[in-house]
Amino acid sequence: MESMIYIVDNISNYLIYLFIIYCGFRLSPRRNRFIMGISALIVLLAGIFNAYYAINSPIVYMVWSVLSICLFFEERLGHLVVLSAALMYFTGIIDTFSVMLIQVMMIGGGYSSTDIAWWMEPAYLLSFLIYLLAYLRILKNMKFICAI
């Protein structure tokens, strides 16, 4: 069960990146479905790698994020590398900040174990709410939503 978290985390982050880039930056996906499929396969393989070794390696995370976005969108390669790295950093900061906030507020400091603790679920819920607000703002700007 715990290993599935890595796979689901990779796939959800991938969908977050695609949504923000497609809707927020209005970049066009590639027309070649084979390359788009390779992009998704890279994300799945990275999740399986992280699940197998029970780690969320920053190197694997950086490689799959940047490579998968560069394969998925038609845009200048340098622009896609910078954009995907910035999004990866932003989403990582939100997760880390919310986890640290929950640690400090609810248990008064850091937590020594690497296992999933009771405070991690509220931290991820906080991250999810921040992402949801970003999505709603993007959708509102694109006139998908009438009012927020």
Side-chain angles (χ1 to χ4, degrees), residues 2 6-7 25 39 44 52 62 65 82 92 97 101 114 125 134:
E2 187 175 323
Y6 295 114
I7 296 171
F25 294 91
S39 171
L44 185 61
Y52 181 76
M62 281 181 6
S65 295
V82 170
F97 174 74
L101 180 66
T114 57
L125 180 61

Side-chain angles (χ1 to χ4, degrees), residues 54-102:
I55 58 167
N56 201 3
S57 170
I59 299 298
V60 174
Y61 191 63
M62 281 181 6
V63 168
W64 78 252
S65 295
V66 173
L67 184 59
S68 61
I69 288 175
C70 289
L71 288 172
F72 196 89
F73 289 101
E74 289 179 356
E75 184 69 22
R76 293 185 321 271
L77 186 60
H79 181 240
L80 287 174
V81 168
V82 170
L83 184 60
S84 57
L87 278 175
M88 183 184 61
Y89 178 76
F90 171 73
T91 55
I93 288 295
I94 289 177
D95 281 339
T96 303
F97 174 74
S98 60
V99 169
M100 296 293 278
L101 180 66
I102 297 296

Side-chain angles (χ1 to χ4, degrees), residues 6-79:
Y6 295 114
I7 296 171
V8 171
D9 182 50
N10 275 16
I11 292 170
S12 62
N13 280 327
Y14 179 66
L15 295 176
I16 287 168
Y17 296 158
L18 296 184
F19 177 83
I20 292 175
I21 292 173
Y22 179 72
C23 295
F25 294 91
R26 299 177 189 260
L27 298 185
S28 299
R30 293 187 184 275
R31 296 184 195 277
N32 188 335
R33 294 198 185 274
F34 178 72
I35 294 179
M36 291 170 65
I38 291 173
S39 171
L41 183 64
I42 288 169
V43 172
L44 185 61
L45 291 176
I48 292 169
F49 176 87
N50 287 341
Y52 181 76
Y53 289 105
I55 58 167
N56 201 3
S57 170
I59 299 298
V60 174
Y61 191 63
M62 281 181 6
V63 168
W64 78 252
S65 295
V66 173
L67 184 59
S68 61
I69 288 175
C70 289
L71 288 172
F72 196 89
F73 289 101
E74 289 179 356
E75 184 69 22
R76 293 185 321 271
L77 186 60
H79 181 240

